[in-house]
Amino acid sequence: MAGKTTEQTLAELYEETGEQHLAVTLTFNKVPQTILVPSRTLASDAIRHYLRKTGTHVGCEHGVCGACTILLNGEPVRSCLLLAASLHGQDVTTVEGLADPDGTLHPVQQAFVECHGLQCGFCTPGFVTTIAAYLEKNDSPTRAEATEAISGNLCRCTGYQNIKAAVLRAAEIRRERAGLSPLGGDDELAALSLDDKVRGNTAPVGGKGDRT
Amino acid sequence: MKPSALTYHRPESIAAVCDVLARLGHEAKVLAGGQSLIPMLSMRLAAPANLIDINMLPEQDGISIDRHGVTFRALVRHSALLADDDAHQAQPLLRRALQLVAHPTIRNRGTTVGSIVHSDPAAEMPAVLGLLGGTVRAQSQRGIREIAATDFFLGPLECGLAEDEIAVAVTVPRRAPNEGSAIDEIARRHGDYAVAGVAAQVRIVDGVLSTATACYVSAGELGTPMDFTEVLRGVDPADADDSRWNAAGDLARDTIETETDIHASSSYRSQLVAALTARVLHEAARDALRNAAARTQRPDGDAEPRADSGAEPREDSDTEPREDSDTEPRPDSGAVSQSADDSASASNATGRSGTTGGTR
Ligand SMILES: Cc1cc2nc3c(=O)[nH]c(=O)nc-3n(C[C@H](O)[C@H](O)[C@H](O)COP(=O)(O)OP(=O)(O)OC[C@H]3O[C@@H](n4cnc5c(N)ncnc54)[C@H](O)[C@@H]3O)c2cc1C
Ligand code: FES
Ligand code: FES
C-alpha cells in the first residue's frame, strides 16, 4: 500500500465497494487524525469503528437517548445524528478525551464515582459529556438547573437522583480544583452540598422523601 | 438503522449549492443540522442518492434585525436564535417557541430554517411562521424569490420549495407595539414533541382586544392560523373570568381537526386544543398589555402608548439601523417603536419561558 495517495486509495475503495468514500481529517481528543470512511457513515460509527474509541455508546440511533453525545467544538451534539463527513476540519471530544493526560479524572467523572452516578454504565458517557459542557456555561447550577441539564439524556437504570447529585458535586470539584471554596457563593447550593456531606453523597431515593 | 449508500457533496458557495441542485434536483437532499434528516436516512424513510451539506457556508450563518423583522439564515442553529437578545426584543415569540423545541443538545445542531422546511406538523416553528405571517427566501439558479408562509406549507412534510431550490433565510415580522403573543404545549416529557400545542397572537386597541389568531402544533392544518377575532373582539385582556376565553376554546375544539396516534387519542387532543386555546389566547392578551405598558414606562419615551405613530429613537446598544415604526402602516395600532426594555416584563408570557435561553 506504500506510496499510494489518499485519492488513489479512495478511488480503489470506490472500485471495490461501489460507493463513495471520503477522507475525513479531524482533531480527535486533541490528536489530528484522518480516517477513510464510506460517505454514509454516521459519526457515532466512525468514532467506534474507525477511530476505535468505544466509549461513545449507541442506544436509539435517532437522537432520543443521548448515549452517543460527543463534544463538537466544545458543544454537546448527538453523534448518531451527524455524518462522519461533517466532522471534517472539526474538533471532537469524546468521553475518552475528558480526563487529563496524567490520568486525573475530569470533575464530572470524579463526581460520578463519588455519587454512584452509574449502574450499568451504558448511558454514562453521554451524561458525562453533556454535563461537562453544561458546567462550562453554568459553573454553579441549582438543583433545578441540574435536572434541566440532564433532561435530554435517558438512563434505563433510572439513576437520575444520583446523576443529579453528580452534577452538583462536579461543580464543587471544579471549584475545589480552581482553589475556590467548594461550596461556592450560591447559598442554596452551599446548603445542599453541606446536606449531601452530612448525609453522604448518595442519599438513597427513599431517604429523601422530604427533600425536593 | 443505517443510511443507504449516498454521494456526499460539500459545496463551498451558495452558487455551487444551486449548481448541484439544478443538476440533481429530485435525487438530492440538502443537509442542514441533520436532526430530522439523519434519523430518516437511518430508518430508510428517505434514501436520497445525494446529500448536499451546507454546513461549510459561513455566510449562511447570521441573524439580522431591521424594521421589517428578524431574518435568520439557513445555518442559524436553534440555540443561537434562542440566545439572541435582539431577536427576542424584536419578536419575543421566537425565543418562547424555541424553548419548547427538543432538548438543548438537539438545538445545538438543528437549524430553525431546516425545521420550517421540514414542515413537521408536530414542530413548533412552522406554526410560529404561519401565525406571524413570515416569509421564506428561496434561491436557485433561476433566481431568488420570497414565499409567504400561506403558500409555503403544503401539507405534512411538504413545503413549497421547488426541487432545485434551497431556503437561504426566513423572516418573521417584528412584534408591533400593540401586539402580544404566547405559546404553550403539552408534551409527555419536557423537550419531546408536543401532543398538542398552541401559539397565539392578539392585538389590543384602546385597552380591549381587537384581533386574535392562533396556530396549532400536532393539530389542525400545518402552519395555518385560525381567526378568533369574532369571538373575542372587545374582551378586556385583564379579565380572566370573561366566558369568551372558554368560548374561543370551544370553537377551536369544534373546528380544529385532531388525529389519533400512539401518543394520544383524537378526543384527548381536542380537549387539549380547547384548554390550551383559552389559556394561550388569554396569555397573549396579557402579554399585549404588558408590551404596551412597558412602552409607557420608558423614561425617555412617549408617556402615552397610543399617542401617535411616533418615531421613538432607540438608545439601547443595538447597532442595527432601526427605522421609524410608522413605516409599517397599522391604522389600529398607533405605533410606538419597539423598546429594549420590554423583554424583562414580557418574557414571562408563558410561565415556562420566564428565564432566558437554555434554562427553564
Ligand atoms: C430527539 C429529537 C427531538 C426533537 N424534538 C423536536 C421538537 O420538540 N420540536 C421541533 O420542532 N423539532 C424537534 N426536533 C427536530 C429538530 O428541531 C430539527 O432540528 C429540525 O426539525 C430540522 O432541522 P435541521 O437543521 O436538523 O434539518 P435537517 O434534518 O438537516 O433537514 C430536514 C429537512 O429539511 C431539508 N432542509 C433543511 N435545511 C434546508 C434548507 N436550508 N433548504 C432546503 N432544504 C432544507 C432537508 O433536506 C430535510 O428534508 C427533534 C429532533 C430530535 C432528534
Ligand atoms: S444513540 Fe444517539 S441519541 Fe441515542
Ligand atoms: S446506568 Fe444503566 S442506563 Fe444509565
Side-chain angles (χ1 to χ4, degrees):
Chain A
M1 298 281 282
K4 233 181 274 175
T5 67
T6 306
E7 278 67 38
Q8 282 167 337
T9 312
L10 290 174
E12 277 177 21
L13 285 167
Y14 179 75
E15 282 294 308
E16 271 170 40
T17 63
E19 65 174 295
Q20 184 199 32
H21 282 60
L22 298 168
V24 178
T25 300
L26 72 163
T27 307
F28 185 69
N29 292 331
K30 305 201 177 67
V31 181
Q33 299 251 26
T34 298
I35 49 173
L36 306 185
V37 296
S39 46
R40 59 166 138 164
T41 310
L42 299 175
S44 45
D45 291 333
I47 289 166
R48 292 176 59 84
H49 304 309
Y50 291 81
L51 293 156
R52 305 240 167 229
K53 286 284 180 260
T54 51
T56 300
H57 290 172
V58 175
C60 64
E61 218 168 60
H62 60 274
V64 176
C65 74
C68 68
T69 306
I70 59 165
L71 305 182
L72 181 65
N73 304 318
E75 295 280 354
V77 295
R78 305 286 202 235
S79 63
C80 72
L81 299 188
L82 279 181
L83 288 182
S86 302
L87 303 181
H88 189 67
Q90 314 295 311
D91 184 85
V92 171
T93 307
T94 64
V95 69
E96 291 95 342
L98 289 176
D100 286 345
D102 69 359
T104 306
L105 291 180
H106 186 280
V108 179
Q109 294 172 313
Q110 183 63 36
F112 266 66
V113 173
E114 292 179 18
C115 300
H116 192 54
L118 60 147
Q119 294 179 54
C120 78
F122 187 82
C123 67
T124 310
F127 274 99
V128 171
T129 45
T130 304
I131 296 164
Y134 180 77
L135 293 177
E136 293 293 325
K137 294 215 165 127
N138 180 359
D139 59 10
S140 50
T142 63
R143 187 165 283 254
E145 287 168 346
T147 307
E148 170 69 16
I150 61 169
S151 66
N153 292 60
L154 293 179
C155 174
R156 279 307 210 183
C157 301
T158 60
Y160 297 108
Q161 297 303 327
N162 294 349
I163 295 170
K164 223 188 308 181
V167 178
L168 300 176
R169 176 65 190 136
E172 244 180 43
I173 296 172
R174 282 174 103 250
R175 283 191 292 275
E176 270 167 12
R177 291 192 188 169
L180 305 170
S181 156
L183 296 186
D186 184 307
D187 281 351
E188 188 199 351
L189 188 71
L192 283 170
S193 306
L194 204 59
D195 191 30
D196 276 346
K197 284 237 150 61
V198 173
R199 289 162 160 262
N201 289 320
T202 57
V205 176
K208 302 214 253 196
D210 56 343
R211 298 197 296 160
T212 45
Chain B
M1 296 289 277
K2 304 293 173 193
S4 54
L6 51 86
T7 303
Y8 173 85
H9 304 259
R10 189 190 284 144
E12 284 175 3
S13 69
I14 194 74
V17 174
C18 293
D19 276 356
V20 185
L21 279 172
R23 246 184 323 120
L24 300 171
H26 67 282
E27 293 176 12
K29 277 258 166 214
V30 169
L31 171 66
Q35 303 301 285
S36 297
L37 182 55
I38 304 274
M40 288 178 68
L41 298 180
S42 287
M43 292 187 248
R44 307 254 173 134
L45 295 171
N50 296 272
L51 277 191
I52 308 173
D53 188 346
I54 59 169
N55 286 277
M56 307 296 154
L57 305 175
E59 81 278 6
Q60 286 304 313
D61 192 1
I63 302 167
S64 54
I65 294 142
D66 65 13
R67 68 197 157 88
H68 298 300
V70 180
T71 300
F72 41 95
R73 294 199 215 161
L75 269 191
V76 173
R77 314 287 174 190
H78 293 309
S79 54
L81 189 56
L82 178 84
D84 193 293
D85 289 334
D86 291 340
H88 176 65
Q89 279 159 28
Q91 181 45 267
L93 189 58
L94 288 175
R95 175 176 291 171
R96 293 171 191 164
L98 285 165
Q99 282 172 328
L100 301 174
V101 175
H103 302 283
T105 308
I106 309 285
R107 298 199 294 255
N108 281 338
R109 190 73 187 167
T111 66
T112 309
V113 171
S115 172
I116 287 165
V117 172
H118 191 53
S119 300
D120 186 340
E124 288 80 4
M125 299 320 285
V128 166
L129 189 78
L131 178 75
L132 298 177
T135 52
V136 178
R137 188 175 314 144
Q139 189 169 344
S140 71
Q141 277 193 339
R142 296 174 288 129
I144 294 180
R145 65 180 179 127
E146 302 278 343
I147 312 170
T150 38
D151 301 323
F152 190 76
F153 298 113
L154 304 181
L157 304 187
E158 218 187 325
C159 76
L161 286 182
E163 253 170 31
D164 61 345
E165 281 180 323
I166 171 176
V168 285
V170 166
T171 302
V172 294
R174 279 178 163 278
R175 178 171 66 169
N178 63 338
E179 276 173 358
S181 61
I183 181 168
D184 202 356
E185 66 182 32
I186 303 293
R188 292 192 317 154
R189 187 178 61 139
H190 177 66
D192 281 0
Y193 284 106
V195 174
V198 183
Q201 172 160 274
V202 307
R203 293 202 184 97
I204 51 172
V205 169
D206 296 330
V208 298
L209 204 139
S210 82
T211 66
T213 47
C215 213
Y216 291 82
V217 178
S218 294
E221 231 176 283
L222 174 72
T224 308
M226 177 171 168
D227 197 341
F228 290 92
T229 304
E230 285 296 306
V231 202
L232 289 176
R233 188 181 289 123
V235 173
D236 173 1
D239 183 1
D241 295 329
D242 195 310
S243 63
R244 284 172 287 180
W245 300 117
N246 284 335
D250 293 343
L251 178 65
R253 182 182 45 222
D254 297 343
T255 316
I256 295 293
E257 281 186 26
T258 56
E259 283 177 16
T260 297
D261 62 19
I262 55 166
H263 302 302
S265 67
S266 155
S267 70
Y268 175 58
R269 275 212 166 83
S270 293
Q271 283 184 42
L272 293 184
V273 160
L276 284 169
T277 299
R279 186 193 303 171
V280 173
L281 280 167
H282 183 218
E283 187 49 52
R286 285 194 301 192
D287 183 51
L289 276 188
R290 281 193 299 264
N291 184 19
R295 281 151 216 283
T296 60
Q297 281 158 14
R298 291 195 51 169
D300 50 20
D302 299 1
E304 169 56 55
R306 269 174 291 285
D308 57 46
S309 59
E312 185 183 359
R314 287 180 66 102
E315 38 224 285
D316 52 50
S317 59
D318 208 318
T319 52
E320 291 292 333
R322 312 266 163 163
E323 311 234 339
D324 304 343
S325 55
D326 58 2
T327 49
E328 203 182 355
R330 283 179 194 282
D332 59 343
S333 79
V336 177
S337 76
Q338 185 71 32
S339 88
D341 53 15
D342 73 335
S343 58
S345 57
S347 67
N348 260 324
T350 66
R352 283 212 257 172
S353 55
T355 50
T356 48
T359 57
R360 274 156 285 190

